[in-house]
Amino acid sequence: MNPNERGTEEPKSGSTEADVRMCITEDPPKNFKWTCYKNLVVISISYALVLTGVSCIAGVQSSLNAEEGLGTASLGVQTGTMIIQALLFNAIVISKLDLKWSMLVGIVLESVYVAGNMYPTWYTLIPAAAIAGFGRPLIRTAEAIYITKLANGYAQRLGGNPQSTKTKFFYIYYVFYCSARVFGNVASSLILGSGLSNFDLSVLSNTSVNDTMHFEEDTRYCGAKFCDGKSPQIVGNSSHYSVPVRAESMAHPDVYKVYGLCGFSFACIALAFLINATLLTSMAKVASILQDGNCQVDEPGDDVITHPWPYLLNTIKYWRKPQQLLIMPLTVYNGIDTATD
């Protein structure tokens, strides 16, 4: 066979990495690199907007809807629904939908939880949390599949190590992801405001031993012990320092501030939907570009999934692998770290 014809040979199943990358000999379209990075940035920005809008609401649930633990319960229901959806229904839904549509549907479902916070009751917020829990795995799984396929196609068509390319692409994605958590907390703080303006630490520069002891006594009820039901109700300033007032800080925010926070969340999620809907290239189009160079990209819809149990059993079996067991503590730590933000 003529060596110049290798670029037109289709990769065979079970081929090695070198065989799969034979398609890079075909001249790629001039805008293919731009297409890959454009779609990566679009996904990253859109989910950063979704996470900013959701986190600024979710991060204050224990204070915003503190009555009878409604806010905390809603977060628990959302997490439980996410686990069930990811194990049983996620693969089926994504196999029926295009990756792009899976993201768009997930974004819409996420907005339901924000709507539930406009009138939070057990009959509105809990169902809204369950609906949002169904949408989150759709977004995350579809994005992970899309970025993985994008990175593989980039490496095949333009050359490079596929694993290194995937690592680089996910680095870019998680820069936006981690930034969104910060933006969400800042947004909720700015919109709701703490309402405390009398905490003056400048007095610490001129303290005696007795003053220090009194300060330590006054701050015994900060942090986790702030509202444990055992600490005294501190009203007004301490006799020695301007300590934050518990009664004031535990007051429910003004209803208009809550509406403003929900409006900000809706705006972020709506903007994310528009960016995804108008700027994200469907994986089918990306795959067609790759197939022009005889690179193969499998679509999620190629294998229609009709039953979740085989995937559930495979997931449980995978937990027995040592590599997975070593990763689990990192996953648990990440969950704890997220909960303490």
Side-chain angles (χ1 to χ4, degrees), residues 122-192:
W122 288 95
Y123 301 103
T124 57
L125 192 59
I126 298 299
I131 293 173
F134 193 89
R136 182 78 62 85
L138 280 179
I139 303 175
R140 296 298 303 275
T141 305
E143 286 179 341
I145 295 173
Y146 192 103
I147 294 174
T148 300
K149 290 181 177 293
L150 202 64
N152 285 335
Y154 183 94
Q156 291 178 24
R157 199 69 195 270
L158 300 176
N161 183 280
Q163 188 61 43
S164 298
T165 305
K166 282 187 284 187
T167 301
K168 180 173 67 174
F169 277 28
F170 276 103
Y171 275 161
I172 297 173
Y173 172 81
Y174 275 101
V175 165
F176 288 90
Y177 173 86
C178 295
S179 300
R181 293 169 58 183
V182 177
F183 295 149
N185 290 334
V186 170
S188 61
S189 177
L190 291 176
I191 295 173
L192 297 178

Side-chain angles (χ1 to χ4, degrees), residues 112-120 124-125 255 258-263 266:
V112 177
Y113 185 68
V114 179
N117 278 272
M118 299 287 288
Y119 185 73
T124 57
L125 192 59
V255 64
V258 176
Y259 289 159
L261 185 64
C262 292
F266 268 125

Side-chain angles (χ1 to χ4, degrees), residues 16-195:
T16 63
E17 180 179 312
D19 294 330
V20 174
R21 288 167 53 193
M22 287 194 302
C23 59
I24 66 174
T25 57
E26 186 79 12
D27 291 336
K30 293 181 180 179
N31 62 343
F32 182 70
K33 184 176 181 179
W34 155 254
T35 299
C36 290
Y37 277 106
K38 185 264 292 185
N39 287 302
L40 175 61
V41 172
V42 166
I43 285 182
S44 301
I45 292 178
S46 65
Y47 189 66
L49 287 168
V50 172
L51 192 58
T52 298
V54 172
S55 63
C56 72
I57 287 285
V60 293
Q61 281 301 304
S62 59
S63 302
L64 197 62
N65 299 309
E67 186 176 357
E68 297 182 357
L70 174 59
T72 306
S74 70
L75 295 178
V77 169
Q78 186 178 35
T79 303
T81 307
M82 287 169 57
I83 295 172
I84 296 173
Q85 205 280 83
L87 286 175
L88 298 179
F89 306 110
N90 209 36
I92 296 177
V93 175
I94 292 179
S95 70
K96 301 291 185 181
L97 299 174
D98 178 78
L99 290 176
K100 181 175 179 177
W101 272 105
S102 297
M103 297 179 208
L104 293 175
V105 170
I107 291 173
V108 172
L109 295 180
E110 284 277 21
S111 67
V112 177
Y113 185 68
V114 179
N117 278 272
M118 299 287 288
Y119 185 73
T121 67
W122 288 95
Y123 301 103
T124 57
L125 192 59
I126 298 299
I131 293 173
F134 193 89
R136 182 78 62 85
L138 280 179
I139 303 175
R140 296 298 303 275
T141 305
E143 286 179 341
I145 295 173
Y146 192 103
I147 294 174
T148 300
K149 290 181 177 293
L150 202 64
N152 285 335
Y154 183 94
Q156 291 178 24
R157 199 69 195 270
L158 300 176
N161 183 280
Q163 188 61 43
S164 298
T165 305
K166 282 187 284 187
T167 301
K168 180 173 67 174
F169 277 28
F170 276 103
Y171 275 161
I172 297 173
Y173 172 81
Y174 275 101
V175 165
F176 288 90
Y177 173 86
C178 295
S179 300
R181 293 169 58 183
V182 177
F183 295 149
N185 290 334
V186 170
S188 61
S189 177
L190 291 176
I191 295 173
L192 297 178
S194 65

Side-chain angles (χ1 to χ4, degrees), residues 8 13 38 40 85 114 138 152 188 199 219 239 279 283 305:
T8 60
S13 59
K38 185 264 292 185
L40 175 61
Q85 205 280 83
V114 179
L138 280 179
N152 285 335
S188 61
F199 187 62
T219 55
S239 59
L279 299 180
M283 182 51 65
I305 303 169

